[in-house]
């Protein structure tokens, strides 16, 4: 990060962008004040952790965090990931990638892995999750093999923990897998940046 932009300004801007991202989900669900606060806090934390990586990387992390927050809210409420939220993001990541071939390979491999899992265990992973993996795999591929592998290993672990926690408090039925996928990628990417 350059000395001309103070960290507090980057964090505040990131938090504001996160709150703004929540406002875009009205087409699918009605955001609550808690939704706004959660995404703003996540964006601020992501900006703080990635701030040493430079303004461009911090902006990319904040953009992904905002988008992931919106996806998590929509998936959590509707158990659905709309194509309008998943597919354009995959294209945007691949176009903006510094290493496009790594992003494309990462996207294809991560989506392919989840497509195979969805085919092997019908109903366990939805088509929206597979499409989400195009973007998350592109991020992991762009960031490096270690980030991709870390996200691929961490996602099912986080999914199992979340599902077990939900079951322990009496929640039954289908469970959204988008939030663990997003969280795993963000944790892996931020872990590599820290």
């Amino acid at each position: 990060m350059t000395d001309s932009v103070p960290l507090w300004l980057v964090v505040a801007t990131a938090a504001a962008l996160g709150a703004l991202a929540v406002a875009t989900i009205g087409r699918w669900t009605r955001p609550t004040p808690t939704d706004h606060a959660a995404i703003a806090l996540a964006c601020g934390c992501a900006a703080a952790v990635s701030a040493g990586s430079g303004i461009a990387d911090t902006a990319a992390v904040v953009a992904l965090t905002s988008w992931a927050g919106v996806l998590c809210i929509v998936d959590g409420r509707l158990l659905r990931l709309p194509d309008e939220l998943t597919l354009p993001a995959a294209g945007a990541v691949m176009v903006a990638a510094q290493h496009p071939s790594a992003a494309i390979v990462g996207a294809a491999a991560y989506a392919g892995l989840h497509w195979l899992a969805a085919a092997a265990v019908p109903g366990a992973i939805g088509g929206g999750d597979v499409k989400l993996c195009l973007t998350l795999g592109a991020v992991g591929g762009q960031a490096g093999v270690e980030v991709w592998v870390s996200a691929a290993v961490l996602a099912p672990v986080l999914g199992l923990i979340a599902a077990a926690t939900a079951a322990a408090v009496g929640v039954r039925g289908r469970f959204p897998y988008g939030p663990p996928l997003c969280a795993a990628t963000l944790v892996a990417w931020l872990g590599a940046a820290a």
Side-chain angles (χ1 to χ4, degrees):
M1 185 162 77
T2 65
D3 294 329
S4 62
V5 181
L7 176 60
W8 69 266
L9 181 59
V10 172
V11 172
T13 302
L17 288 172
L20 183 62
V22 176
T24 67
I25 67 173
R27 180 171 176 189
W28 298 282
T29 187
R30 183 182 168 113
T32 66
T34 303
D35 297 333
H36 288 278
I39 292 181
L41 177 63
C43 288
C45 291
V49 170
S50 66
S53 301
I55 295 295
D57 287 344
T58 299
V61 167
V62 170
L64 184 70
T65 303
S66 299
W67 170 78
V70 169
L71 281 169
C72 290
I73 291 167
V74 170
D75 196 18
R77 294 216 178 107
L78 305 178
L79 296 174
R80 176 176 179 265
L81 291 168
D83 288 349
E84 297 94 324
L85 292 174
T86 57
L87 296 178
V93 169
M94 289 181 221
V95 167
Q98 291 175 332
H99 308 289
S101 58
I104 291 167
V105 169
Y110 204 48
L113 176 69
H114 285 83
W115 180 82
L116 287 172
V121 185
I125 298 173
D129 297 320
V130 173
K131 294 172 196 169
L132 171 61
C133 287
L134 288 169
T135 302
L136 300 178
V139 168
Q142 162 68 24
V145 173
E146 301 83 12
V147 172
W148 190 97
V149 170
S150 295
V153 170
L154 189 56
V157 171
L158 292 177
L160 288 172
I161 291 169
T165 302
V169 297
V171 176
R172 301 286 183 251
R174 292 178 40 198
F175 185 80
Y177 190 48
L181 285 168
C182 291
T185 299
L186 285 166
V187 166
W189 192 17
L190 290 170

